[in-house]
Amino acid sequence: MEVMEAMEVDLQLGGPSREPEPDVVADQVVLPIVIPDSDSETEDEADAAPCDPPRLPNTWAFSQNRVRVEGHIGPTVTTAATLSQQRARPGLSEHYSTQTAARASSFLDFLLRVPAANQAEGDSGSTTEVSESEDEADPPGPGADPPNPAVPSSPRPNPPVAVTPPQDSNATTEAARTVTGNQVNPEGASDPLASSAPALRLSQGDEGEGETCSICFEPWTTSGEHRLATLRCGHLFGYTCINRWVKGQGQGAKCPQCNKKAKRADIVLLYARNLRALDNTEQERMKRSLEKEHSLRRKAELESAQCRLQLQVMTDECGKLRKQLQELKTLMAQPGCGPSQSSGASLSGLSQRQYNTQGGHYVFSKAVLVSQAGGCRVLSYCEPLSCLLASQPSPHTTLVPGCGVKKVSTVNLKACQYVPIHVKQIRGLAFNRQADSLLLSAALDNTIKLTSLMTNTVVQTYNTGKPVWSCCWCLDNNNYVYAGLSNGSVLVYDTRDTSTHVQELQPLLSRCPVASLSYVPRAASSSFPCGGLIAGSLDGGCFWEQVDGTTYRPHMLPLETGGCTDIQVQPESRHCLVTYRPVRSKPSLRCVLMELNRTPQQDAAQEPSCSCNPVQTFSAGSSCKLLTKNAVFRSPAGEGSTLVCAGDEATNSTMVWDAGSGNLIQKLSADLPVLDICPFEVNQGSYLASLTEKMLKIYKWE
């Protein structure tokens, strides 16, 4: 329009007329991006602005010398140097190439053709650059209006920085100005509505992602042909789309999303108005973190318990060493003390000691039912908890199969609790001297286990690979435990090493099962000062002397071959009780009390040997079908006397002998054969417990 107006003015003033160029008219269709500015100046005010005719030649010469027109067609490029020059000289104005074609003779014609030339320059796409010689340009006079700066641009779609010249002179003047100062505002060319449109479309796409069919990209419906449907893999589609998809692929149809095999029978309609999946990723992560923290806490509690256990072990070891040192000092202070004299005095003292029948006897106190179905086997006493422990099968085999122990309180003499431990029958129970309520158990399920009776939980399990017949603690070092296997071997375990055994003691003779294990602690005794392990099998017994922590020296004991069912040790008097089955030459059950001794070393080449000598023999009934366990212990009457107790299968009773005289003191009747015997003390009273297959009978010393 402005081109046409310029042509009309030329006709009225008598100037030459010309038709607009086709390229200029065609480019008028493309709307350029115009930098908006204030509307303080109008077109009328611009036309009414006074012009100084005498300054026209200087301005014309300035434009002729400062403008360089490039002939190529392309997008307008505004460099950083040009932009800095525009900012540094706010009064500098850029002139377009069409201004050079104006006639200098007609001042009014030139003024009227400037807007048309600006419009034609913006549409032509030619590039106008400001030369660096502008730095030398003289500033305008004080009476003249400063030229309006304009930033040329191109209406092409992808210029790096593009600003299109305005359509009239007022727009040309205002487009180059910013709100403050004369700096170019690079953000003025962007439209806030245009920049927010992609974000709006992205937000709408995210919201509708779970509501459209992935085949046709149309929303599924709650009814009709395009209702919500799914395959066996769980992906959602419109029914008509997935039905057509599966039908078109035939036998080899697959899911469009995961390529899993699909068929028409797998299409299932879903009846849901609004389908939305709850994001519980954070909740699941917190659950896993909580489970991990619980696991770490249990591990820390176990490590803390083990550390307390080790501390208690070291404390007991220190006290024991101090006690042994004091005993050795006392023994060395005695004049004329020799090994032969001490051994003879001990043997003669035990054989000559007479039991006073008026000193006391056992009285029946109470019978406790342990297992109604039977199956009890071994018995032990826990001094810290004041309770007896009897092994038995599980009372609820369907819910808790296997075997465990039944707690019987010695305070009120009542059965209180069952603790499951093993899968098969338990053959051995033992406690250490540490008073930590830690139970060592051996069973035929090829394991030995450590169970804390404070929490009734198994804290450690060792797999032996063979059925275990017996077990015991090392009384010189509570970190070691022993397991007697069915092949005659004895495995040594360190409770600080939970992986495997630290040593295996191979049998010297036959590979009969180790029916009993007893540990003899070191003591300040001239006759038998060493400590070690006594392993009893059906073919005899062997004493494994503990030289140091991991070194053992075997000593075969002079026992009868065949028929040895049990070996028990009385640590204070250094005596052991050996039980033999009835044989043809000796048709009764025999319990032989033996004294352990050690032959002194004669020279450096000969090692000292350990042996035992029989002191007293006790005879019982003629029947022995079970591997029963007997007991030898200090008499509650005191005065250094020793009692021997053994079960008699022929009379279903417990027989009590005086070890010094060999006399039978009492015969405590029972309903079934006695399998195990355990003496204990509680509340300054002495008791004796005998275990049968179902019952536990308790006797009190009076």
Side-chain angles (χ1 to χ4, degrees):
M1 294 296 295
E2 292 177 350
V3 175
M4 298 300 296
E5 292 175 0
M7 294 174 62
E8 292 176 359
V9 173
D10 291 341
L11 292 176
Q12 292 176 3
L13 297 178
S17 63
R18 62 174 181 176
E19 295 180 359
E21 298 179 1
D23 296 338
V24 175
V25 177
D27 291 340
Q28 295 296 329
V29 180
V30 181
L31 297 179
I33 299 175
V34 180
I35 299 177
D37 202 349
S38 62
D39 298 334
S40 60
E41 296 182 6
T42 61
E43 184 179 358
D44 297 337
E45 294 174 355
D47 296 336
C51 299
D52 191 2
R55 294 186 180 275
L56 177 60
N58 294 335
T59 305
W60 179 260
F62 178 78
S63 63
Q64 290 290 334
N65 295 330
R66 299 300 187 266
V67 177
R68 183 178 76 255
V69 180
E70 296 180 4
H72 70 278
I73 304 299
T76 303
V77 179
T78 302
T79 61
T82 305
L83 186 60
S84 63
Q85 292 172 2
Q86 292 174 358
R87 293 175 179 175
R89 291 180 295 277
L92 183 62
S93 175
E94 296 184 5
H95 301 274
Y96 298 92
S97 60
T98 56
Q99 293 178 352
T100 60
R103 293 175 298 175
S105 62
S106 179
F107 170 70
L108 183 59
D109 187 18
F110 168 74
L111 292 178
L112 293 176
R113 287 182 179 273
V114 169
N118 291 340
Q119 177 63 29
E121 178 65 17
D123 297 337
S124 64
S126 61
T127 303
T128 303
E129 297 181 357
V130 179
S131 63
E132 295 181 358
S133 61
E134 291 176 358
D135 296 337
E136 302 174 358
D138 297 333
D145 293 336
N148 296 329
V151 181
S153 64
S154 174
R156 299 300 183 262
N158 296 320
V161 179
V163 179
T164 303
Q167 300 297 326
D168 51 23
S169 61
N170 292 332
T172 305
T173 304
E174 298 297 333
R177 298 178 183 176
T178 58
V179 178
T180 57
N182 293 322
Q183 296 180 356
V184 176
N185 186 6
E187 298 179 357
S190 62
D191 189 2
L193 296 178
S195 61
S196 62
L200 180 60
R201 290 194 297 269
L202 181 59
S203 176
Q204 293 176 354
D206 293 341
E207 293 179 357
E209 184 179 355
E211 301 177 359
T212 59
C213 173
S214 60
I215 298 178
C216 65
F217 298 102
E218 293 293 334
W220 51 61
T221 60
T222 58
S223 61
E225 296 182 353
H226 201 257
R227 67 187 306 170
L228 183 61
T230 182
L231 294 175
R232 294 183 62 182
C233 58
H235 293 104
L236 305 177
F237 312 94
Y239 177 75
T240 54
C241 295
I242 191 60
N243 188 25
R244 191 181 302 111
W245 177 281
V246 175
K247 185 178 179 180
Q249 290 189 352
Q251 296 294 334
K254 296 182 180 180
C255 174
Q257 292 190 2
C258 64
N259 286 334
K260 288 188 177 180
K261 292 184 178 180
K263 53 185 178 180
R264 296 186 62 184
D266 297 337
I267 303 176
V268 179
L269 296 178
L270 298 180
Y271 299 89
R273 288 186 175 273
N274 189 7
L275 187 64
R276 187 178 299 273
L278 180 62
D279 186 7
N280 61 341
T281 305
E282 186 68 18
Q283 183 180 1
E284 294 297 327
R285 188 185 66 82
M286 295 300 295
K287 286 183 179 180
R288 291 192 297 268
S289 178
L290 182 61
E291 292 176 358
K292 183 178 179 180
E293 291 297 330
H294 286 172
S295 177
L296 293 177
R297 180 178 180 180
R298 288 192 295 268
K299 183 178 179 181
E301 290 177 353
L302 181 60
E303 292 178 354
S304 177
Q306 292 177 351
C307 291
R308 290 195 300 268
L309 180 63
Q310 294 177 1
L311 177 61
Q312 185 66 29
V313 168
M314 298 304 296
T315 303
D316 295 344
E317 184 73 17
C318 182
K320 184 177 60 176
L321 291 176
R322 290 178 180 177
K323 183 178 179 180
Q324 291 181 1
L325 179 61
Q326 188 65 28
E327 291 177 356
L328 287 175
K329 290 181 179 180
T330 305
L331 183 63
M332 295 298 294
Q334 296 178 0
C337 181
S340 59
Q341 297 178 359
S342 298
S343 177
S346 175
L347 181 60
S348 60
L350 180 61
S351 61
Q352 294 176 1
R353 187 178 298 118
Q354 299 294 327
Y355 179 76
N356 186 5
T357 58
Q358 303 297 328
H361 59 284
Y362 284 105
V363 178
F364 175 75
S365 178
K366 190 175 182 179
V368 180
L369 178 63
V370 178
S371 175
Q372 184 68 37
C376 299
R377 185 72 185 184
V378 290
L379 183 65
S380 184
Y381 177 68
C382 179
E383 184 176 358
L385 299 181
S386 299
C387 66
L388 289 167
L389 299 171
S391 66
Q392 68 163 99
S394 175
H396 306 286
T397 56
T398 56
L399 298 177
V400 186
C403 296
V405 294
K406 175 67 74 64
K407 287 183 179 181
V408 179
S409 175
T410 57
V411 178
N412 53 12
L413 301 180
K414 291 182 179 180
C416 54
Q417 196 173 13
Y418 170 76
V419 181
I421 301 177
H422 289 275
V423 178
K424 295 184 179 181
Q425 187 184 51
I426 298 176
R427 301 300 297 266
L429 298 175
F431 286 96
N432 57 14
R433 293 182 176 181
Q434 194 170 339
D436 56 357
S437 303
L438 201 61
L439 173 65
L440 173 65
S441 59
L444 300 180
D445 57 357
N446 302 347
T447 60
I448 61 172
K449 295 186 178 183
L450 295 176
T451 305
S452 175
L453 298 181
M454 299 294 293
T455 58
N456 295 333
T457 56
V458 178
V459 298
Q460 185 60 44
T461 301
Y462 298 96
N463 190 359
T464 60
K466 298 289 183 180
V468 188
W469 282 50
S470 57
C471 64
C472 71
W473 289 83
C474 177
L475 301 182
D476 289 328
N477 189 348
N478 291 325
N479 293 324
Y480 294 96
V481 295
Y482 304 96
L485 306 184
S486 59
N487 61 354
S489 299
V490 178
L491 299 182
V492 184
Y493 289 91
D494 189 347
T495 58
R496 297 164 294 185
D497 184 6
T498 60
S499 58
T500 183
H501 59 275
V502 296
Q503 192 172 358
E504 181 178 1
L505 306 179
Q506 296 287 346
L508 299 180
L509 297 178
S510 63
R511 290 190 170 271
C512 293
V514 181
S516 62
L517 282 177
S518 300
Y519 191 86
V520 181
R522 292 186 178 92
S525 173
S526 58
S527 60
F528 198 78
C530 56
L533 181 70
I534 296 180
S537 63
L538 297 178
D539 285 345
C542 178
F543 175 71
W544 294 89
E545 180 185 1
Q546 187 178 20
V547 180
D548 52 30
T550 58
T551 304
Y552 293 86
R553 184 185 299 123
H555 302 275
M556 290 301 301
L557 299 178
L559 304 181
E560 298 178 9
T561 58
C564 178
T565 60
D566 182 56
I567 299 178
Q568 299 294 327
V569 174
Q570 209 280 325
E572 289 80 5
S573 62
R574 321 297 284 178
H575 288 77
C576 63
L577 181 66
V578 183
T579 303
Y580 294 100
R581 279 180 173 179
V583 292
R584 181 173 300 180
S585 59
K586 299 176 181 179
S588 61
L589 177 69
R590 292 174 297 117
C591 296
V592 180
L593 185 65
M594 295 188 175
E595 181 185 25
L596 298 173
N597 54 59
R598 182 182 184 185
T599 303
Q601 186 175 1
Q602 301 296 334
D603 52 13
Q606 182 183 3
E607 296 181 355
S609 62
C610 298
S611 182
C612 60
N613 299 320
V615 176
Q616 196 67 259
T617 302
F618 311 96
S619 299
S622 59
S623 176
C624 182
K625 298 179 181 180
L626 302 174
L627 293 178
T628 60
K629 293 184 178 298
N630 304 323
V632 51
F633 54 95
R634 292 284 187 182
S635 174
E639 299 180 0
S641 59
T642 303
L643 296 182
V644 174
C645 295
D648 185 10
E649 293 185 17
T651 59
N652 292 337
S653 61
T654 302
M655 305 184 72
V656 182
W657 291 281
D658 175 28
S661 61
N663 298 327
L664 179 63
I665 301 175
Q666 282 183 282
K667 195 172 184 179
L668 308 175
S669 62
D671 298 333
L672 295 173
V674 177
L675 301 177
D676 200 352
I677 300 171
C678 179
F680 63 95
E681 295 182 359
V682 61
N683 295 333
Q684 299 181 353
S686 299
Y687 295 85
L688 182 68
S690 62
L691 178 67
T692 63
E693 191 177 1
K694 297 181 179 181
M695 301 290 295
L696 177 65
K697 289 194 172 184
I698 300 175
Y699 304 89
K700 184 178 180 180
W701 180 266
E702 293 183 356

